[in-house]
Amino acid sequence: MTLKECYSALEGDYESVLSRLMTEKLVQKFALKFLNDASFNNLEKNINESNWDDAFREAHTLKGVCQNLSFTKLFSSSSLMTESLRDGNTEEAIRIFSQVREDYNQTVSAIKKLNII
């Protein structure tokens, strides 16, 4: 899978990230680094432990990483979750988390299919 195909599969904005990072090599480098980012796993752990302050920080971090990499679909759901946690609406955040998990898995799956240059 090419980098552009990967972005299509994860429902991201390839042109936007390419204009920001300037080269496919840099986009690929940071997309691959995303696989080692602990934000999602930490978010899930903190939700399971009802540690809402830390869950907020992890959701906010995940949202920021996704925004920078133009992972549009995951950015959208993690942004909704961040705002729910910011507002203290933990029940809504828990409902949104299922979408965040689905979007995260879609993103990781697409990245793992990249043909390494």
Side-chain angles (χ1 to χ4, degrees):
M1 173 182 292
T2 68
L3 190 57
K4 192 170 187 174
E5 291 168 336
C6 173
Y7 265 78
S8 179
L10 61 83
E11 298 181 50
D13 187 341
Y14 176 75
E15 297 303 325
S16 175
V17 71
L18 188 58
S19 71
R20 200 167 33 263
L21 296 181
M22 306 299 279
T23 67
E24 278 199 3
K25 189 172 183 174
L26 274 178
V27 174
Q28 179 174 295
K29 175 184 174 180
F30 288 109
L32 290 170
K33 281 184 176 253
F34 180 78
L35 298 176
N36 296 317
D37 183 86
S39 300
F40 175 81
N41 292 329
N42 291 338
L43 172 61
E44 185 170 43
K45 176 182 178 281
N46 284 303
I47 287 171
N48 290 336
E49 295 174 358
S50 299
N51 186 344
W52 304 116
D53 289 339
D54 288 343
F56 168 76
R57 282 190 283 284
E58 296 298 340
H60 193 272
T61 299
L62 180 62
K63 176 186 88 161
V65 170
C66 291
Q67 183 176 30
N68 287 332
L69 292 173
S70 296
F71 294 166
T72 309
K73 187 173 185 184
L74 182 54
F75 167 74
S76 179
S77 60
S78 60
S79 182
L80 288 172
M81 180 156 202
T82 299
E83 294 312 309
S84 292
L85 290 168
R86 184 188 314 274
D87 294 341
N89 191 339
T90 57
E91 288 180 20
E92 180 178 292
I94 291 168
R95 281 193 303 275
I96 294 170
F97 183 69
S98 63
Q99 184 64 51
V100 172
R101 179 186 294 116
E102 184 180 313
D103 297 346
Y104 176 81
N105 288 335
Q106 177 182 354
T107 300
V108 167
S109 177
I111 293 169
K112 286 181 176 180
K113 292 177 185 170
L114 263 175
N115 293 328
I116 307 303
I117 298 172

